[in-house]
Amino acid sequence: MRRPMEGVRVLEVAQFTFVPAAGAVLADWGADVIKIEHAERGDGQRGLVRVLGYDATSEGSSFFPIVEGPNRGKRSVGLALEKPSARKAFEELVRRSDVFLTNFLPEARAKLRIEVEDIRAINPDIIYVRGSGFGQRGDEATKGGYDSTAFWARGGSAAGVTPPGADRMIRMPAGAYGDAMGGMTIAGGIAAALYSRATTGEPSVVDVSLLGVGAWATQFTVNMALMNGGPLPVNVQPRHGSRTNPLIGAYLTSDGRWIELSMLQPGRYWAEFCKLAGRGELSTDERFDSTEKLMANAAQAAGIVAELIASRPFEEWVEILSRGEGQWSVVQNAWEVGQDPSLRANGLIASVVDADGVDRELVASPVQFDETPVDLTRAPQFAEHTDEVLRSLGLSDEELIALKIDGAAT
């Protein structure tokens, strides 16, 4: 199968996850992604040996999930762009690329001469892509941001999940949570820009901010607040169910596992649920024997549902609910997500061989083409492809050696 981005070259000058994740998605889709890393320091993410209280790799292993996820499928070139001697090779890479991708701040872009006008002076047809914390205009255009600040805190998610009166703010549910969504967003923008260039001949400048992605993720409540003309009223949900539907929300089983119900038509599914739970008589109970009564007495019904689910273990409820037509889901931890049968059936947990020759697995990007799972290639070791890539530009061995002596390449 021909992957849709085959023949596209992406030149990435970026660190950490937000923008590099876009490069990983494009590599999944077939693009040749060349990642420029500083000749001495590399991508700063390579130094994160402990994240969110977890060791980022296992002892003696080169497999580094925090690097593999946003960098699989790329080639790494070690170049010190601040050194004049590295400029010739860098400019040749720009000439041969379709997309230039960066998350460097304006001051660093200016210092390294990688602003739009610098890159377009070398290659007028290149698509120029910037990922930022807060956008390219306004007072915060020069301010850096991470997904915990720009996406989670500023974008509305943190306030949306933190209960009123809580003594601590709810944190993101996973590392690089907003970065991963932002990277996919950038990849989509690049795909659109490539299509536009193919049809009009004009290259685009593409901008995506973590704040913008965060606001898009919470757009429903943001749009409601805009319509309301101010902050939305505090909406404290009942402990069980919703105010008008007992078959919505999370319920705890007898062995301490959560099951999420989302049966949005209570009148349609109430009788079925009661029968499955062994309490068929509840569907004819005068408090619940019509949709209107069930909605009016949702709190009482939800209390009964909570008692029923709390009376049996998780696996038993999985089997019971699987017999019905109503919508529900188990609440899974990270290991269980990695073993999810539907993810695996669709090839969305993908195999990759690491630098030590060990078979590993990673979550695949969610877009699939022609019903064919992605074929992953591991992330590069730091500067692994410097010689290969620079030789392909026509540099001689003597020129390579000179760059390395000068500290301009690794």
Side-chain angles (χ1 to χ4, degrees):
M1 182 200 78
R2 186 185 187 280
R3 295 182 293 172
M5 288 291 176
E6 286 181 5
V8 173
R9 173 172 284 182
V10 178
L11 185 60
E12 176 187 300
V13 180
Q15 299 190 88
F16 300 104
T17 296
F18 171 40
V19 168
V25 171
L26 295 170
D28 283 358
W29 296 350
D32 175 18
V33 182
I34 296 177
K35 180 181 181 71
I36 302 296
E37 301 191 57
H38 191 274
E40 295 177 4
R41 300 185 295 273
D43 185 331
Q45 188 130 296
R46 294 185 186 274
L48 299 180
V49 297
R50 192 166 177 81
V51 182
L52 299 178
Y54 302 104
D55 290 332
T57 189
S58 56
E59 187 175 354
S61 172
S62 65
F63 188 70
F64 204 16
I66 196 172
V67 172
E68 292 285 341
N71 291 293
R72 73 279 193 101
K74 302 177 185 178
R75 294 189 287 168
S76 172
V77 174
L79 278 181
L81 297 183
E82 74 277 10
K83 288 186 174 289
S85 57
R87 190 70 183 181
K88 177 182 175 182
F90 174 72
E91 290 190 358
E92 190 57 38
L93 284 170
V94 172
R95 286 188 191 94
R96 300 186 185 202
S97 297
D98 297 285
V99 178
F100 182 80
L101 180 59
T102 188
N103 62 0
F104 280 30
L105 291 172
E107 183 178 356
R109 296 199 305 266
K111 179 180 178 182
L112 296 174
R113 292 187 291 148
I114 59 170
E115 287 281 26
V116 177
E117 56 271 21
D118 301 313
I119 299 300
R120 286 274 173 82
I122 304 163
N123 181 349
D125 295 325
I126 203 165
I127 292 165
Y128 189 95
V129 186
R130 295 175 293 212
S132 64
F134 304 95
Q136 297 302 316
R137 294 178 295 281
D139 293 341
E140 295 180 301
T142 61
K143 179 179 176 180
Y146 290 100
D147 59 348
S148 61
T149 57
F151 171 89
W152 186 251
R154 283 281 291 275
S157 290
V161 298
T162 302
D167 64 353
R168 66 184 64 185
M169 189 188 81
I170 301 298
R171 311 301 298 176
M172 291 190 300
Y177 185 70
D179 289 339
M181 285 184 268
M184 178 61 72
T185 303
I186 293 172
I190 290 170
L194 286 166
Y195 176 79
S196 176
R197 190 181 70 174
T199 55
T200 69
E202 295 295 325
S204 301
V205 175
V206 179
D207 284 305
V208 178
S209 71
L210 282 166
L211 177 60
V213 176
W216 176 254
T218 60
Q219 63 155 314
F220 175 77
T221 49
V222 175
N223 292 343
M224 292 289 290
L226 291 171
M227 181 185 72
N228 192 51
L232 296 177
V234 175
N235 186 10
V236 180
Q237 294 294 326
R239 181 180 178 187
H240 302 300
S242 76
R243 298 188 186 282
T244 58
N245 188 344
L247 299 179
I248 286 180
Y251 288 92
L252 195 63
T253 64
S254 64
D255 52 351
R257 292 294 304 271
W258 291 100
I259 288 177
E260 175 77 13
L261 304 183
S262 188
M263 303 178 197
L264 302 184
Q265 299 166 279
R268 176 178 176 182
Y269 295 112
W270 177 246
E272 177 189 81
F273 174 83
C274 294
K275 181 179 179 181
L276 290 172
R279 292 291 303 277
E281 77 281 1
L282 287 171
S283 63
T284 57
D285 186 301
E286 63 180 10
R287 296 170 296 174
F288 316 127
D289 61 4
S290 71
T291 300
E292 292 72 22
K293 290 181 181 179
L294 181 60
M295 293 175 69
N297 296 303
Q300 295 177 58
I304 294 170
V305 172
E307 291 175 3
L308 287 170
I309 292 182
S311 69
R312 299 184 188 185
F314 176 76
E315 293 296 342
E316 190 171 337
W317 274 112
V318 170
E319 191 280 324
I320 289 170
L321 291 170
S322 295
R323 291 190 250 124
E325 294 184 355
Q327 295 74 38
W328 63 280
S329 177
V330 300
V331 176
Q332 299 189 134
N333 60 33
W335 169 254
E336 290 166 331
V337 172
Q339 308 308 312
D340 187 281
S342 290
L343 285 176
R344 289 186 171 272
N346 287 281
L348 295 174
I349 302 295
S351 298
V352 64
V353 178
D354 71 14
D356 302 318
V358 178
D359 289 332
R360 304 285 190 174
E361 291 182 316
L362 294 171
V363 176
S365 53
V367 178
Q368 204 169 83
F369 301 95
D370 301 320
E371 301 179 352
T372 304
V374 67
D375 184 15
L376 292 187
T377 304
R378 66 170 173 83
Q381 299 288 291
F382 167 53
E384 179 178 348
H385 302 96
T386 300
D387 289 4
E388 169 193 315
V389 171
L390 295 189
R391 282 197 179 100
S392 75
L393 303 179
L395 270 71
S396 66
D397 288 346
E398 290 76 14
E399 288 173 308
L400 274 173
I401 291 169
L403 282 174
K404 292 179 180 182
I405 291 173
D406 188 42
T410 299

